[in-house]
Amino acid sequence: MRKVLCVIGTRPEAIKMAPVIRALKNSNSFTTKVLATGQHTDMLKQALEDFGIAPDFNLNIMRNAQTLDHITSSVLAKTGDYLDSEHNDFVLVHGDTSTTFAASLAAFYRKIPVAHVEAGLRSHDKYLPFPEEMNRVLTDRISEIFFAPTENAAENLRNEHVNPEKIFVTGNTVIDALFEILKLNQNIPEFMRELDNQPFVLMTAHRRESWGEPLLEICAAVRDILAARPDVKFLIPLHKNPIVRDVIKSELQNNISNVIFTEPLNYPDFTFAMSKCRFILSDSGGVQEEASAINKPVLIMRTLSERPEAIDHGTGVLVGTNRKIIRETTLEILNNESFLKKILSKNTKPFGNGTASQKILSVLENYHARQA
């Protein structure tokens, strides 16, 4: 059997790759192993456990205040050592993280084909999102097989002169993961009891380009919203990075009666929160995809999005990090039912129907058959 190595480093990668890993492990065509780089540690492990997956190897690269240089160089060197230790027929990576790029580069140095899940997304600004836009572009330059989640992503690749025969539109694997988790009988999380059936907004913020003044603007907007609508609560899972969490807690500590802080939620609890909230404020990429699948509005706190489908065909509204725009758009949704209905009427589930992992498996099996 052909050997495939799935490399993951962060919580979002673990969630999005879990359905693919399970499909590969259930196939008779492959021997599949999972290499965790440890770019995230506990959050990565927790996300895999939600899907009954454990990594076969963990490079444990994470350290306090880790830099991009450290992540990239450590993943490159240690993944290279692993690839030298045993044969692999191809390496499967996901998305746009530093783990994705560095692991792909390690495979390229050994002439091992790379299959890229979630290929082709583009903001067309190399600094937005940073460093993810260039991580994804460079990974696509290295890759042999391209799993584009949407036709728009596939068109980006064709415009970059990628061989069309190597591009496969699959939908996004996060929709597979989301639908699977939503089918489970979940207990009501503890934090939901604090909400006491009040309307709430789910907010996440963590991106590097949001650090500093943009994050202060976001927090100021939240204070404005709560002043105008004291009946509304905000649920804010705090990112582990102190550059983010310390600012948010400091800026919103005087609104603590209306703000519920939690540690990062496991994926089942996060999907529960998404399904129950009024709408979402987020700078996350994956949330844009998930929100569209469950017909939930998401105000995207970025100046650009590499997922234009969320805006053009889904439930996304681009608001940036401007205090006034965030405040006014949020209050419009809270106060104007017709405005909310207008957003929801655009929903067409642009990121797929939950079958992406099976499509990826089928492509890899056919590729395997041709190489045999």
Side-chain angles (χ1 to χ4, degrees), residues 212-350:
E213 186 62 31
L215 191 56
L216 293 174
E217 283 275 292
I218 291 169
C219 291
V222 172
R223 292 197 301 270
D224 293 345
I225 294 160
L226 292 176
R229 286 293 302 268
D231 59 312
V232 173
K233 291 194 174 185
F234 272 74
L235 174 65
I236 305 178
L238 292 168
H239 197 269
K240 288 289 188 181
N241 192 326
I243 294 174
V244 175
R245 68 188 292 132
D246 291 353
V247 169
I248 293 176
K249 290 185 75 172
S250 174
E251 291 296 308
L252 298 179
Q253 62 184 351
N254 292 331
N255 301 88
I256 201 65
S257 61
N258 287 84
V259 175
I260 297 170
F261 295 123
T262 73
E263 290 302 309
L265 299 175
N266 64 35
Y267 194 57
D269 285 353
F270 189 73
T271 60
F272 192 99
M274 283 195 296
S275 68
K276 299 298 182 183
C277 71
R278 291 286 296 274
F279 60 93
I280 305 164
L281 271 169
S282 182
D283 60 8
S284 164
V287 167
Q288 296 173 49
E289 298 152 348
E290 293 159 327
S292 73
I294 59 173
N295 206 29
K296 190 71 64 170
V298 54
L299 305 189
I300 305 165
M301 298 188 295
R302 297 187 184 188
T303 56
L304 289 172
S305 175
E306 70 277 38
R307 295 164 171 86
E309 299 88 351
I311 300 164
D312 297 337
H313 306 290
T315 54
V317 179
L318 200 65
V319 295
T321 56
N322 180 277
R323 175 180 184 175
K324 180 180 178 182
I325 295 174
I326 294 172
R327 177 185 70 238
E328 291 183 353
T329 309
T330 296
L331 291 175
E332 186 75 10
I333 292 178
L334 289 171
N335 298 333
N336 188 338
E337 191 68 25
S338 63
F339 184 76
L340 177 61
K341 288 180 179 178
K342 182 179 178 181
I343 295 173
L344 296 178
S345 68
K346 297 194 299 181
N347 181 54
T348 55
K349 292 185 172 51

Side-chain angles (χ1 to χ4, degrees), residues 19-33:
V20 181
I21 292 168
R22 293 213 312 203
L24 286 165
K25 285 182 175 289
N26 289 333
S27 169
N28 294 323
S29 299
F30 305 106
T31 298
T32 304
K33 290 188 177 179

Side-chain angles (χ1 to χ4, degrees), residues 355-367:
T355 59
S357 57
Q358 289 302 315
K359 291 176 182 175
I360 290 169
L361 174 63
S362 178
V363 170
L364 293 176
E365 287 178 334
N366 290 333
Y367 180 88

Side-chain angles (χ1 to χ4, degrees), residues 185-193 197 269 272 276:
N185 292 321
Q186 293 177 232
N187 295 322
I188 298 176
E190 184 63 35
F191 64 82
M192 292 295 295
R193 296 191 177 95
N197 293 319
D269 285 353
F272 192 99
K276 299 298 182 183

Side-chain angles (χ1 to χ4, degrees), residues 15-302:
I15 292 167
K16 292 187 170 188
M17 283 284 271
V20 181
I21 292 168
R22 293 213 312 203
L24 286 165
K25 285 182 175 289
N26 289 333
S27 169
N28 294 323
S29 299
F30 305 106
T31 298
T32 304
K33 290 188 177 179
V34 179
L35 175 67
T37 66
Q39 183 176 336
H40 291 172
T41 51
D42 293 342
M43 290 192 294
L44 172 66
K45 180 182 176 183
Q46 179 191 75
L48 287 175
E49 287 175 348
D50 289 334
F51 294 90
I53 297 170
D56 296 286
F57 305 94
N58 195 326
L59 303 181
N60 293 307
I61 69 153
M62 187 174 181
R63 68 185 186 189
N64 290 333
Q66 61 186 1
T67 64
L68 293 173
D69 293 342
H70 165 73
I71 296 169
T72 305
S73 60
S74 298
V75 172
L76 175 61
K78 292 189 176 185
T79 302
D81 289 342
Y82 173 80
L83 292 173
D84 288 337
S85 71
E86 62 175 78
H87 171 77
N88 285 277
D89 291 291
F90 58 90
V91 171
L92 198 66
V93 297
H94 181 280
D96 59 11
T97 69
S98 296
T99 280
T100 297
F101 165 57
S104 299
L105 187 58
F108 167 73
Y109 284 162
R110 290 152 183 85
K111 297 184 178 180
I112 302 171
V114 174
H116 187 193
V117 179
E118 204 181 78
L121 277 66
R122 298 289 186 269
S123 73
H124 304 290
D125 183 328
K126 65 183 178 182
Y127 294 115
L128 292 173
F130 177 80
E132 287 82 3
E133 176 76 1
M134 282 309 298
N135 283 341
R136 197 188 301 269
V137 170
L138 294 169
T139 299
D140 280 336
R141 295 296 295 170
I142 290 168
S143 296
E144 176 71 19
I145 305 173
F146 305 82
F147 296 116
T150 65
E151 180 56 39
N152 183 70
E155 184 64 16
N156 288 335
L157 293 167
R158 289 191 287 266
N159 288 339
E160 294 169 5
H161 307 293
V162 172
N163 183 346
E165 294 183 357
K166 296 184 177 183
I167 302 170
F168 303 90
V169 179
T170 62
N172 199 297
T173 58
V174 77
I175 308 304
D176 301 29
L178 175 68
F179 286 173
E180 179 178 336
I181 292 297
L182 288 174
K183 288 178 183 175
L184 300 177
N185 292 321
Q186 293 177 232
N187 295 322
I188 298 176
E190 184 63 35
F191 64 82
M192 292 295 295
R193 296 191 177 95
E194 293 185 55
L195 291 165
D196 194 28
N197 293 319
Q198 288 183 268
F200 73 97
V201 177
L202 175 63
M203 188 184 96
T204 72
H206 71 282
R207 302 216 57 81
R208 286 176 182 266
E209 56 265 33
S210 297
W211 295 359
E213 186 62 31
L215 191 56
L216 293 174
E217 283 275 292
I218 291 169
C219 291
V222 172
R223 292 197 301 270
D224 293 345
I225 294 160
L226 292 176
R229 286 293 302 268
D231 59 312
V232 173
K233 291 194 174 185
F234 272 74
L235 174 65
I236 305 178
L238 292 168
H239 197 269
K240 288 289 188 181
N241 192 326
I243 294 174
V244 175
R245 68 188 292 132
D246 291 353
V247 169
I248 293 176
K249 290 185 75 172
S250 174
E251 291 296 308
L252 298 179
Q253 62 184 351
N254 292 331
N255 301 88
I256 201 65
S257 61
N258 287 84
V259 175
I260 297 170
F261 295 123
T262 73
E263 290 302 309
L265 299 175
N266 64 35
Y267 194 57
D269 285 353
F270 189 73
T271 60
F272 192 99
M274 283 195 296
S275 68
K276 299 298 182 183
C277 71
R278 291 286 296 274
F279 60 93
I280 305 164
L281 271 169
S282 182
D283 60 8
S284 164
V287 167
Q288 296 173 49
E289 298 152 348
E290 293 159 327
S292 73
I294 59 173
N295 206 29
K296 190 71 64 170
V298 54
L299 305 189
I300 305 165
M301 298 188 295
R302 297 187 184 188

